[in-house]
Amino acid sequence: MREAVASALAELARRDERAADTARAALDALAPDRELERLNQHAVQRFCWFELPVRFQDSADEQLFAVRSLGSLFSLLQLYRYAQICSAQETSSLLAVYSEDHAAGLAMYERLMWESGVEPPDLPELTWGTAVGDAEIRARDETSAALELAISLGDVRPGKRGWRPAQEQFTRSFLTRPGRRGLSHLDLVREERVRAWLSSSAHPHRQRLWPLVGQIIAGADVPRAADRSMAPLQRLLDLAADGIALTQIGYISPGVVRQMCADFGWRTTPEPPRSETDATQLIALHQALRGMRAVRRSGRRLVLTRRGRQLREDPEALWRASTETLCRTGGLEQAAAETLLGMLLSRSPQGGGSHERRRESDVEAAERTLTESGWVPPEPPLASGRHAASHRRTAEAASDRVRALVMAVCWLLETLGLLGEDDGAGHRELTAPGRAFAVACLHRSAVAPRAVV
Protein backbone atom coordinates (compact mmCIF):
# COMPACT_ATOMS: atom_id res chain seq x y z
CA MET A 1 0.00 0.00 0.00
CA ARG A 2 2.92 2.36 0.64
CA GLU A 3 4.03 1.84 -2.95
CA ALA A 4 0.53 2.76 -4.10
CA VAL A 5 0.68 5.93 -2.01
CA ALA A 6 4.06 6.87 -3.50
CA SER A 7 2.76 6.27 -7.00
CA ALA A 8 -0.38 8.34 -6.38
CA LEU A 9 1.65 11.21 -4.94
CA ALA A 10 3.94 11.13 -7.97
CA GLU A 11 0.93 11.30 -10.29
CA LEU A 12 -0.55 14.17 -8.28
CA ALA A 13 2.79 16.00 -8.41
CA ARG A 14 2.79 15.80 -12.19
CA ARG A 15 -0.59 17.52 -12.16
CA ASP A 16 0.01 20.01 -9.32
CA GLU A 17 3.21 19.94 -7.31
CA ARG A 18 1.84 22.19 -4.54
CA ALA A 19 -1.21 19.98 -4.18
CA ALA A 20 1.02 16.90 -3.90
CA ASP A 21 3.15 18.50 -1.18
CA THR A 22 0.06 19.56 0.72
CA ALA A 23 -1.59 16.14 0.35
CA ARG A 24 1.60 14.44 1.53
CA ALA A 25 1.70 16.60 4.67
CA ALA A 26 -2.01 16.03 5.33
CA LEU A 27 -1.66 12.26 4.90
CA ASP A 28 1.35 12.19 7.22
CA ALA A 29 -0.74 13.93 9.88
CA LEU A 30 -3.74 11.66 9.30
CA ALA A 31 -1.84 8.37 8.94
CA PRO A 32 1.82 8.82 9.95
CA ASP A 33 2.71 5.23 9.03
CA ARG A 34 0.81 5.45 5.70
CA GLU A 35 -0.89 2.14 6.47
CA LEU A 36 -4.12 2.96 4.68
CA GLU A 37 -5.56 -0.44 5.59
CA ARG A 38 -6.05 0.92 9.10
CA LEU A 39 -7.68 4.12 7.92
CA ASN A 40 -11.42 4.53 8.41
CA GLN A 41 -14.16 7.04 7.70
CA HIS A 42 -14.28 8.27 11.29
CA ALA A 43 -10.58 9.17 11.23
CA VAL A 44 -10.89 11.00 7.91
CA GLN A 45 -13.89 12.98 9.12
CA ARG A 46 -12.19 13.84 12.40
CA PHE A 47 -9.10 15.07 10.55
CA CYS A 48 -11.00 17.18 8.03
CA TRP A 49 -13.63 18.49 10.43
CA PHE A 50 -11.69 18.86 13.67
CA GLU A 51 -7.94 18.31 13.64
CA LEU A 52 -7.14 20.39 10.56
CA PRO A 53 -9.08 23.51 11.59
CA VAL A 54 -8.14 23.23 15.29
CA ARG A 55 -4.52 22.11 15.20
CA PHE A 56 -3.27 23.97 12.14
CA GLN A 57 -3.40 27.75 12.21
CA ASP A 58 -3.76 28.24 8.49
CA SER A 59 -6.39 30.39 6.83
CA ALA A 60 -9.71 28.84 5.85
CA ASP A 61 -8.64 28.97 2.18
CA GLU A 62 -5.41 27.12 2.92
CA GLN A 63 -7.26 24.54 4.99
CA LEU A 64 -9.75 24.03 2.18
CA PHE A 65 -6.89 23.61 -0.29
CA ALA A 66 -5.40 20.99 2.03
CA VAL A 67 -8.57 18.88 2.22
CA ARG A 68 -9.18 19.19 -1.53
CA SER A 69 -5.58 18.09 -2.19
CA LEU A 70 -6.06 15.15 0.19
CA GLY A 71 -9.30 14.32 -1.64
CA SER A 72 -7.46 14.24 -4.95
CA LEU A 73 -4.94 11.81 -3.46
CA PHE A 74 -7.76 9.59 -2.16
CA SER A 75 -9.35 9.58 -5.63
CA LEU A 76 -6.08 8.42 -7.19
CA LEU A 77 -5.98 5.66 -4.56
CA GLN A 78 -9.60 4.76 -5.44
CA LEU A 79 -10.74 5.59 -1.90
CA TYR A 80 -13.77 7.40 -3.25
CA ARG A 81 -15.80 7.52 -0.02
CA TYR A 82 -12.97 9.37 1.71
CA ALA A 83 -12.43 11.61 -1.30
CA GLN A 84 -16.10 12.57 -1.18
CA ILE A 85 -15.72 13.68 2.44
CA CYS A 86 -12.88 16.00 1.44
CA SER A 87 -14.82 17.54 -1.44
CA ALA A 88 -18.22 17.71 0.29
CA GLN A 89 -20.00 21.03 0.67
CA GLU A 90 -20.36 20.32 4.40
CA THR A 91 -16.56 20.28 4.73
CA SER A 92 -16.01 23.65 3.07
CA SER A 93 -18.91 25.15 5.03
CA LEU A 94 -17.52 23.84 8.30
CA LEU A 95 -14.07 25.30 7.65
CA ALA A 96 -15.67 28.67 6.93
CA VAL A 97 -17.66 28.48 10.18
CA TYR A 98 -14.51 27.70 12.17
CA SER A 99 -12.81 30.79 10.77
CA GLU A 100 -15.67 32.96 12.05
CA ASP A 101 -16.65 31.26 15.32
CA HIS A 102 -14.63 28.43 16.86
CA ALA A 103 -17.40 27.29 19.22
CA ALA A 104 -19.92 27.19 16.37
CA GLY A 105 -17.43 25.16 14.34
CA LEU A 106 -17.10 22.60 17.14
CA ALA A 107 -20.88 22.34 17.43
CA MET A 108 -21.21 21.80 13.69
CA TYR A 109 -18.41 19.21 13.79
CA GLU A 110 -20.23 17.19 16.47
CA ARG A 111 -23.49 17.37 14.49
CA LEU A 112 -21.88 16.23 11.25
CA MET A 113 -20.09 13.38 12.99
CA TRP A 114 -23.34 12.17 14.52
CA GLU A 115 -25.26 12.49 11.26
CA SER A 116 -22.61 10.47 9.41
CA GLY A 117 -23.53 7.39 11.43
CA VAL A 118 -19.97 6.24 12.12
CA GLU A 119 -19.78 7.93 15.54
CA PRO A 120 -20.51 5.08 18.03
CA PRO A 121 -23.61 6.03 20.02
CA ASP A 122 -23.91 5.90 23.79
CA LEU A 123 -25.86 2.91 25.09
CA PRO A 124 -27.49 2.18 28.47
CA GLU A 125 -24.73 -0.40 28.90
CA LEU A 126 -21.89 1.94 27.93
CA THR A 127 -21.49 5.69 27.84
CA TRP A 128 -18.26 6.58 26.07
CA GLY A 129 -15.78 8.53 28.18
CA THR A 130 -13.30 11.29 27.43
CA ALA A 131 -10.50 9.96 29.67
CA VAL A 132 -10.03 6.49 28.23
CA GLY A 133 -7.67 3.54 28.31
CA ASP A 134 -6.38 1.30 25.56
CA ALA A 135 -9.33 -1.11 25.66
CA GLU A 136 -11.86 1.70 25.26
CA ILE A 137 -9.87 3.35 22.46
CA ARG A 138 -9.72 0.03 20.62
CA ALA A 139 -13.42 -0.67 21.22
CA ARG A 140 -14.46 2.72 19.89
CA ASP A 141 -12.20 2.54 16.83
CA GLU A 142 -13.34 -0.96 15.90
CA THR A 143 -16.98 -0.11 16.49
CA SER A 144 -16.66 2.90 14.21
CA ALA A 145 -15.03 0.77 11.50
CA ALA A 146 -17.80 -1.83 11.87
CA LEU A 147 -20.47 0.89 11.55
CA GLU A 148 -18.78 2.14 8.38
CA LEU A 149 -19.06 -1.35 6.89
CA ALA A 150 -22.69 -1.68 8.03
CA ILE A 151 -23.50 1.63 6.34
CA SER A 152 -21.82 0.58 3.09
CA LEU A 153 -23.85 -2.66 3.14
CA GLY A 154 -27.11 -0.82 3.81
CA ASP A 155 -27.68 -2.36 7.26
CA VAL A 156 -27.56 1.12 8.80
CA ARG A 157 -28.81 4.01 6.67
CA PRO A 158 -28.05 7.42 8.20
CA GLY A 159 -30.77 9.97 7.63
CA LYS A 160 -33.42 7.38 6.88
CA ARG A 161 -36.34 6.69 9.15
CA GLY A 162 -35.43 4.36 12.02
CA TRP A 163 -31.70 4.55 11.44
CA ARG A 164 -30.80 5.51 15.01
CA PRO A 165 -32.36 2.40 16.62
CA ALA A 166 -30.69 0.31 13.91
CA GLN A 167 -27.36 1.94 14.68
CA GLU A 168 -27.78 1.30 18.42
CA GLN A 169 -28.79 -2.32 17.85
CA PHE A 170 -25.79 -2.92 15.59
CA THR A 171 -23.44 -1.22 18.09
CA ARG A 172 -24.77 -3.30 20.98
CA SER A 173 -24.41 -6.51 18.98
CA PHE A 174 -20.84 -5.64 18.01
CA LEU A 175 -19.74 -4.58 21.49
CA THR A 176 -21.17 -7.68 23.20
CA ARG A 177 -19.80 -10.20 20.68
CA PRO A 178 -17.23 -12.48 22.39
CA GLY A 179 -13.69 -12.00 21.17
CA ARG A 180 -10.31 -12.92 22.52
CA ARG A 181 -10.35 -14.84 25.79
CA GLY A 182 -14.09 -15.13 25.28
CA LEU A 183 -14.52 -11.51 26.37
CA SER A 184 -16.39 -8.89 24.40
CA HIS A 185 -15.33 -5.30 23.88
CA LEU A 186 -17.88 -4.32 26.51
CA ASP A 187 -16.34 -6.77 29.00
CA LEU A 188 -12.85 -5.42 28.36
CA VAL A 189 -13.91 -1.78 28.69
CA ARG A 190 -15.68 -2.50 31.97
CA GLU A 191 -12.70 -4.41 33.33
CA GLU A 192 -10.38 -1.57 32.36
CA ARG A 193 -12.61 1.03 33.97
CA VAL A 194 -13.02 -0.95 37.19
CA ARG A 195 -9.28 -1.45 37.59
CA ALA A 196 -8.64 2.25 36.95
CA TRP A 197 -11.41 3.12 39.45
CA LEU A 198 -9.88 0.91 42.13
CA SER A 199 -6.40 2.30 41.47
CA SER A 200 -7.41 5.96 41.65
CA SER A 201 -4.89 7.86 43.78
CA ALA A 202 -7.57 10.44 44.52
CA HIS A 203 -9.73 7.77 46.23
CA PRO A 204 -7.42 5.71 48.48
CA HIS A 205 -10.38 4.18 50.34
CA ARG A 206 -11.00 2.02 47.24
CA GLN A 207 -7.76 0.11 47.82
CA ARG A 208 -9.68 -1.98 50.36
CA LEU A 209 -12.15 -3.02 47.65
CA TRP A 210 -9.60 -4.94 45.54
CA PRO A 211 -10.70 -8.35 46.96
CA LEU A 212 -14.11 -7.62 45.38
CA VAL A 213 -12.73 -6.78 41.93
CA GLY A 214 -14.32 -9.81 40.23
CA GLN A 215 -17.77 -9.04 41.61
CA ILE A 216 -17.50 -5.36 40.77
CA ILE A 217 -16.53 -6.12 37.17
CA ALA A 218 -19.35 -8.66 36.75
CA GLY A 219 -22.03 -6.54 38.41
CA ALA A 220 -25.36 -8.04 39.43
CA ASP A 221 -28.72 -8.54 37.74
CA VAL A 222 -31.93 -7.15 39.20
CA PRO A 223 -33.11 -9.81 41.69
CA ARG A 224 -36.60 -11.26 41.77
CA ALA A 225 -37.19 -9.62 45.13
CA ALA A 226 -36.63 -6.16 43.69
CA ASP A 227 -40.37 -5.35 43.86
CA ARG A 228 -40.40 -5.91 47.61
CA SER A 229 -37.26 -3.87 48.19
CA MET A 230 -38.47 -0.99 46.04
CA ALA A 231 -41.93 -0.90 47.65
CA PRO A 232 -41.19 2.08 49.97
CA LEU A 233 -39.75 4.13 47.13
CA GLN A 234 -42.65 3.06 44.90
CA ARG A 235 -45.14 4.14 47.56
CA LEU A 236 -43.57 7.57 47.90
CA LEU A 237 -43.64 7.98 44.13
CA ASP A 238 -47.33 7.04 44.13
CA LEU A 239 -48.04 9.73 46.70
CA ALA A 240 -45.96 12.27 44.78
CA ALA A 241 -48.04 11.55 41.68
CA ASP A 242 -50.88 13.43 43.39
CA GLY A 243 -48.50 15.89 45.05
CA ILE A 244 -47.18 15.59 48.61
CA ALA A 245 -47.73 18.57 50.87
CA LEU A 246 -44.51 20.05 52.26
CA THR A 247 -43.87 22.09 55.37
CA GLN A 248 -42.69 25.66 55.06
CA ILE A 249 -39.03 24.60 55.18
CA GLY A 250 -39.49 21.73 52.70
CA TYR A 251 -40.04 18.63 54.82
CA ILE A 252 -42.67 16.02 53.93
CA SER A 253 -45.89 16.76 55.80
CA PRO A 254 -46.37 14.96 59.16
CA GLY A 255 -49.52 13.24 57.92
CA VAL A 256 -47.68 11.53 55.06
CA VAL A 257 -44.81 10.61 57.39
CA ARG A 258 -47.18 8.90 59.85
CA GLN A 259 -49.03 7.17 57.00
CA MET A 260 -45.80 5.73 55.53
CA CYS A 261 -44.58 4.60 58.95
CA ALA A 262 -47.88 2.85 59.63
CA ASP A 263 -47.98 1.19 56.19
CA PHE A 264 -44.47 -0.28 56.51
CA GLY A 265 -44.33 -0.79 60.27
CA TRP A 266 -41.37 1.53 60.81
CA ARG A 267 -40.40 2.39 64.36
CA THR A 268 -39.46 5.97 65.11
CA THR A 269 -38.40 8.12 68.01
CA PRO A 270 -40.69 9.64 69.14
CA GLU A 271 -43.57 7.43 68.12
CA PRO A 272 -45.70 8.44 66.33
CA PRO A 273 -43.35 10.78 64.46
CA ARG A 274 -44.04 14.49 64.53
CA SER A 275 -42.14 15.35 61.33
CA GLU A 276 -39.88 13.90 58.62
CA THR A 277 -36.87 14.54 60.86
CA ASP A 278 -38.20 11.95 63.32
CA ALA A 279 -38.29 9.19 60.67
CA THR A 280 -34.87 8.26 59.32
CA GLN A 281 -36.64 6.02 56.81
CA LEU A 282 -38.38 9.00 55.18
CA ILE A 283 -35.21 11.05 55.26
CA ALA A 284 -33.40 8.27 53.35
CA LEU A 285 -36.19 7.76 50.80
CA HIS A 286 -36.68 11.48 50.18
CA GLN A 287 -32.93 11.98 49.67
CA ALA A 288 -32.74 8.95 47.33
CA LEU A 289 -35.57 10.19 45.11
CA ARG A 290 -34.02 13.65 45.00
CA GLY A 291 -30.73 12.06 43.95
CA MET A 292 -32.51 10.21 41.14
CA ARG A 293 -34.20 13.47 40.10
CA ALA A 294 -37.48 11.61 40.35
CA VAL A 295 -39.18 14.33 42.44
CA ARG A 296 -38.97 18.08 42.67
CA ARG A 297 -40.44 20.82 44.76
CA SER A 298 -43.23 22.85 43.22
CA GLY A 299 -44.32 25.54 45.63
CA ARG A 300 -45.35 23.76 48.83
CA ARG A 301 -45.73 20.35 47.17
CA LEU A 302 -43.41 17.51 46.21
CA VAL A 303 -44.28 16.32 42.69
CA LEU A 304 -43.01 13.80 40.18
CA THR A 305 -40.61 14.73 37.43
CA ARG A 306 -40.80 13.11 34.02
CA ARG A 307 -38.14 10.65 35.16
CA GLY A 308 -40.14 9.98 38.31
CA ARG A 309 -43.22 9.06 36.26
CA GLN A 310 -41.13 6.61 34.24
CA LEU A 311 -39.60 5.01 37.33
CA ARG A 312 -43.00 4.72 39.01
CA GLU A 313 -44.16 2.40 36.24
CA ASP A 314 -41.08 0.17 36.23
CA PRO A 315 -39.77 -1.37 39.51
CA GLU A 316 -36.71 -2.80 37.76
CA ALA A 317 -35.80 0.62 36.37
CA LEU A 318 -36.33 2.04 39.86
CA TRP A 319 -33.91 -0.57 41.25
CA ARG A 320 -31.30 0.33 38.62
CA ALA A 321 -31.74 4.05 39.27
CA SER A 322 -31.31 3.47 43.01
CA THR A 323 -28.07 1.53 42.53
CA GLU A 324 -26.76 4.12 40.12
CA THR A 325 -27.49 7.07 42.39
CA LEU A 326 -26.09 5.88 45.72
CA CYS A 327 -22.43 5.81 44.64
CA ARG A 328 -22.51 8.63 42.09
CA THR A 329 -22.92 11.59 44.43
CA GLY A 330 -19.25 12.59 44.48
CA GLY A 331 -16.83 13.54 47.23
CA LEU A 332 -17.06 12.28 50.78
CA GLU A 333 -20.69 11.23 50.41
CA GLN A 334 -19.78 8.80 47.64
CA ALA A 335 -16.70 7.58 49.52
CA ALA A 336 -18.85 6.81 52.56
CA ALA A 337 -21.28 4.72 50.49
CA GLU A 338 -18.50 2.83 48.69
CA THR A 339 -16.67 2.12 51.93
CA LEU A 340 -19.69 0.81 53.82
CA LEU A 341 -20.95 -1.31 50.92
CA GLY A 342 -17.51 -2.79 50.38
CA MET A 343 -17.16 -3.61 54.06
CA LEU A 344 -20.57 -5.31 54.17
CA LEU A 345 -19.90 -7.27 50.98
CA SER A 346 -16.54 -8.49 52.29
CA ARG A 347 -18.26 -9.77 55.40
CA SER A 348 -21.14 -11.50 53.63
CA PRO A 349 -20.99 -15.26 52.93
CA GLN A 350 -20.64 -14.66 49.19
CA GLY A 351 -18.15 -11.81 49.57
CA GLY A 352 -14.54 -11.62 48.55
CA GLY A 353 -13.01 -12.21 51.99
CA SER A 354 -13.61 -12.74 55.67
CA HIS A 355 -14.32 -9.91 58.06
CA GLU A 356 -13.00 -10.07 61.58
CA ARG A 357 -15.59 -8.56 63.83
CA ARG A 358 -14.20 -5.90 66.06
CA ARG A 359 -15.73 -4.18 69.00
CA GLU A 360 -16.54 -1.19 66.85
CA SER A 361 -19.88 -1.01 65.02
CA ASP A 362 -20.28 -0.99 61.24
CA VAL A 363 -20.64 2.78 61.26
CA GLU A 364 -17.53 3.20 63.40
CA ALA A 365 -15.53 0.79 61.22
CA ALA A 366 -16.52 2.63 58.03
CA GLU A 367 -15.73 5.99 59.64
CA ARG A 368 -12.31 4.72 60.71
CA THR A 369 -11.58 3.42 57.21
CA LEU A 370 -12.45 6.78 55.69
CA THR A 371 -10.38 8.76 58.16
CA GLU A 372 -7.43 6.42 57.67
CA SER A 373 -7.78 7.03 53.92
CA GLY A 374 -7.27 10.73 54.50
CA TRP A 375 -10.77 12.13 54.22
CA VAL A 376 -10.52 13.75 57.66
CA PRO A 377 -7.78 13.83 60.30
CA PRO A 378 -7.82 10.51 62.24
CA GLU A 379 -7.30 12.37 65.53
CA PRO A 380 -7.97 15.93 66.68
CA PRO A 381 -4.84 17.98 65.93
CA LEU A 382 -2.69 18.79 68.93
CA ALA A 383 -2.87 22.45 69.69
CA SER A 384 -2.40 24.70 72.66
CA GLY A 385 -3.29 28.19 73.59
CA ARG A 386 -6.38 30.09 72.58
CA HIS A 387 -6.90 28.13 69.32
CA ALA A 388 -6.96 24.68 70.95
CA ALA A 389 -10.71 24.59 71.58
CA SER A 390 -11.46 25.79 68.05
CA HIS A 391 -9.25 23.06 66.56
CA ARG A 392 -10.97 20.38 68.64
CA ARG A 393 -14.42 21.56 67.57
CA THR A 394 -13.34 21.53 63.89
CA ALA A 395 -12.06 17.95 64.15
CA GLU A 396 -15.17 16.81 65.99
CA ALA A 397 -17.42 18.43 63.37
CA ALA A 398 -15.49 16.66 60.57
CA SER A 399 -15.83 13.32 62.36
CA ASP A 400 -19.54 13.89 62.93
CA ARG A 401 -20.04 14.61 59.24
CA VAL A 402 -18.35 11.37 58.18
CA ARG A 403 -20.42 9.38 60.67
CA ALA A 404 -23.63 11.04 59.51
CA LEU A 405 -22.92 10.19 55.86
CA VAL A 406 -22.25 6.55 56.70
CA MET A 407 -25.39 6.37 58.81
CA ALA A 408 -27.45 7.81 55.93
CA VAL A 409 -26.39 4.87 53.75
CA CYS A 410 -27.36 2.46 56.55
CA TRP A 411 -30.78 4.11 56.82
CA LEU A 412 -31.48 3.58 53.13
CA LEU A 413 -30.33 -0.05 53.15
CA GLU A 414 -32.39 -0.77 56.23
CA THR A 415 -35.48 0.98 54.87
CA LEU A 416 -35.31 -1.07 51.66
CA GLY A 417 -34.97 -4.31 53.63
CA LEU A 418 -31.45 -4.95 52.40
CA LEU A 419 -29.86 -5.46 55.84
CA GLY A 420 -30.37 -8.25 58.34
CA GLU A 421 -30.90 -7.81 62.06
CA ASP A 422 -28.37 -6.03 64.26
CA ASP A 423 -26.40 -8.54 66.34
CA GLY A 424 -26.43 -6.16 69.29
CA ALA A 425 -22.97 -4.78 68.63
CA GLY A 426 -23.87 -2.68 65.62
CA HIS A 427 -23.00 -5.36 63.05
CA ARG A 428 -25.34 -6.20 60.16
CA GLU A 429 -25.19 -8.53 57.20
CA LEU A 430 -26.60 -7.90 53.75
CA THR A 431 -29.59 -9.93 52.67
CA ALA A 432 -29.46 -11.73 49.32
CA PRO A 433 -31.10 -8.76 47.55
CA GLY A 434 -28.81 -6.51 49.59
CA ARG A 435 -25.70 -8.20 48.18
CA ALA A 436 -27.04 -7.75 44.66
CA PHE A 437 -27.79 -4.11 45.44
CA ALA A 438 -24.33 -3.44 46.90
CA VAL A 439 -22.53 -5.12 43.99
CA ALA A 440 -24.65 -3.19 41.48
CA CYS A 441 -23.93 0.11 43.26
CA LEU A 442 -20.17 -0.41 43.18
CA HIS A 443 -20.30 -1.72 39.60
CA ARG A 444 -22.20 1.31 38.32
CA SER A 445 -19.85 3.67 40.10
CA ALA A 446 -16.78 1.88 38.75
CA VAL A 447 -17.85 1.52 35.11
CA ALA A 448 -19.15 5.08 34.76
CA PRO A 449 -17.22 7.06 32.15
CA ARG A 450 -14.35 9.16 33.38
CA ALA A 451 -14.05 12.72 32.15
CA VAL A 452 -11.01 14.90 31.65
CA VAL A 453 -11.08 17.58 34.34
Side-chain angles (χ1 to χ4, degrees):
M1 182 59 75
R2 293 181 181 178
E3 292 79 6
V5 172
S7 177
L9 283 171
E11 174 60 27
L12 184 58
R14 282 193 290 270
R15 302 179 185 179
D16 187 331
E17 187 171 348
R18 178 170 172 254
D21 290 340
T22 304
R24 181 183 295 105
L27 185 63
D28 287 343
L30 175 60
D33 51 11
R34 295 192 180 180
E35 294 181 2
L36 299 187
E37 300 89 343
R38 302 175 60 182
L39 202 59
N40 59 45
Q41 182 178 338
H42 187 281
V44 174
Q45 291 177 174
R46 179 178 172 82
F47 176 79
C48 294
W49 298 344
F50 177 76
E51 294 180 6
L52 181 64
V54 171
R55 289 174 52 191
F56 300 96
Q57 302 301 314
D58 297 326
S59 67
D61 290 340
E62 291 173 326
Q63 292 171 355
L64 183 58
F65 180 77
V67 295
R68 294 290 167 81
S69 299
L70 182 62
S72 298
L73 178 60
F74 282 146
S75 293
L76 290 170
L77 291 168
Q78 299 183 5
L79 298 174
Y80 300 116
R81 184 185 302 112
Y82 303 158
Q84 186 176 7
I85 294 169
C86 296
S87 61
Q89 179 61 44
E90 290 84 355
T91 299
S92 58
S93 298
L94 177 58
L95 295 176
V97 171
Y98 267 115
S99 66
E100 297 293 333
D101 187 333
H102 182 77
L106 288 176
M108 185 175 178
Y109 156 70
E110 293 177 356
R111 177 177 61 81
L112 290 177
M113 286 294 286
W114 177 236
E115 290 176 350
S116 73
V118 297
E119 181 72 45
D122 290 334
L123 302 173
E125 305 93 324
L126 177 65
T127 298
W128 300 102
T130 52
V132 298
D134 292 341
E136 188 163 351
I137 291 173
R138 185 165 51 252
R140 192 161 190 166
D141 286 347
E142 294 187 12
T143 302
S144 179
L147 282 168
E148 178 181 348
L149 180 59
I151 291 170
S152 66
L153 295 175
D155 296 332
V156 176
R157 299 186 296 171
K160 302 296 183 182
R161 183 175 182 179
W163 81 270
R164 297 188 193 277
Q167 183 200 40
E168 291 181 5
Q169 183 178 355
F170 179 89
T171 300
R172 179 177 293 106
S173 176
F174 181 80
L175 287 173
T176 56
R177 188 180 306 155
R180 59 190 181 92
R181 293 190 293 141
L183 299 176
S184 67
H185 278 303
L186 181 59
D187 295 329
L188 295 172
V189 170
R190 285 176 171 173
E191 180 178 352
E192 180 178 67
R193 287 185 177 182
V194 170
R195 294 187 181 278
W197 181 83
L198 289 169
S199 303
S200 172
S201 59
H203 300 86
H205 66 279
R206 293 175 184 164
Q207 292 297 320
R208 298 172 183 261
L209 302 178
W210 271 106
L212 302 170
V213 60
Q215 294 184 66
I216 297 175
I217 291 173
D221 295 330
V222 179
R224 294 181 179 179
D227 296 16
R228 190 180 309 120
S229 298
M230 294 295 105
L233 285 169
Q234 188 82 48
R235 177 62 174 148
L236 200 55
L237 287 174
D238 289 341
L239 293 173
D242 296 324
I244 298 174
L246 298 174
T247 64
Q248 188 171 358
I249 58 176
Y251 289 126
I252 293 174
S253 66
V256 173
V257 174
R258 288 191 288 270
Q259 178 185 344
M260 290 282 291
C261 289
D263 290 346
F264 291 97
W266 295 330
R267 300 182 63 180
T268 63
T269 303
E271 196 167 3
R274 295 166 299 185
S275 73
E276 181 183 339
T277 58
D278 294 333
T280 58
Q281 301 89 343
L282 260 296
I283 294 174
L285 296 178
H286 191 175
Q287 183 177 2
L289 290 180
R290 290 274 193 179
M292 295 178 222
R293 298 181 180 178
V295 294
R296 63 178 178 85
R297 183 172 178 173
S298 177
R300 291 281 296 274
R301 300 183 74 77
L302 190 69
V303 298
L304 292 181
T305 62
R306 179 179 179 182
R307 177 169 169 78
R309 289 192 293 272
Q310 294 170 341
L311 295 177
R312 182 190 176 206
E313 303 298 328
D314 189 345
E316 290 194 3
L318 183 57
W319 172 280
R320 287 190 290 269
S322 301
T323 59
E324 184 174 8
T325 301
L326 186 59
C327 290
R328 294 285 299 280
T329 50
L332 181 55
E333 188 175 357
Q334 177 173 334
E338 292 171 353
T339 299
L340 180 64
L341 293 175
M343 186 183 73
L344 294 173
L345 272 173
S346 297
R347 174 189 304 161
S348 65
Q350 297 180 11
S354 61
H355 178 82
E356 180 183 358
R357 291 190 172 182
R358 302 176 176 86
R359 293 181 180 178
E360 60 188 355
S361 68
D362 291 341
V363 172
E364 292 169 338
E367 179 188 356
R368 175 180 53 78
T369 298
L370 286 164
T371 57
E372 288 176 352
S373 299
W375 283 101
V376 293
E379 295 180 359
L382 297 177
S384 60
R386 60 178 180 171
H387 297 299
S390 176
H391 287 176
R392 283 195 297 273
R393 285 195 298 271
T394 300
E396 290 169 0
S399 179
D400 289 344
R401 182 182 175 220
V402 175
R403 188 177 300 113
L405 291 173
V406 175
M407 289 178 64
V409 180
C410 285
W411 293 345
L412 180 63
L413 297 177
E414 183 178 20
T415 302
L416 299 181
L418 303 175
L419 284 177
E421 294 294 326
D422 191 321
D423 67 354
H427 301 134
R428 312 283 289 273
E429 288 192 0
L430 293 166
T431 62
R435 286 193 294 273
F437 187 88
V439 170
C441 285
L442 294 176
H443 171 80
R444 288 184 176 275
S445 177
V447 302
R450 293 175 294 153
V452 176
V453 179

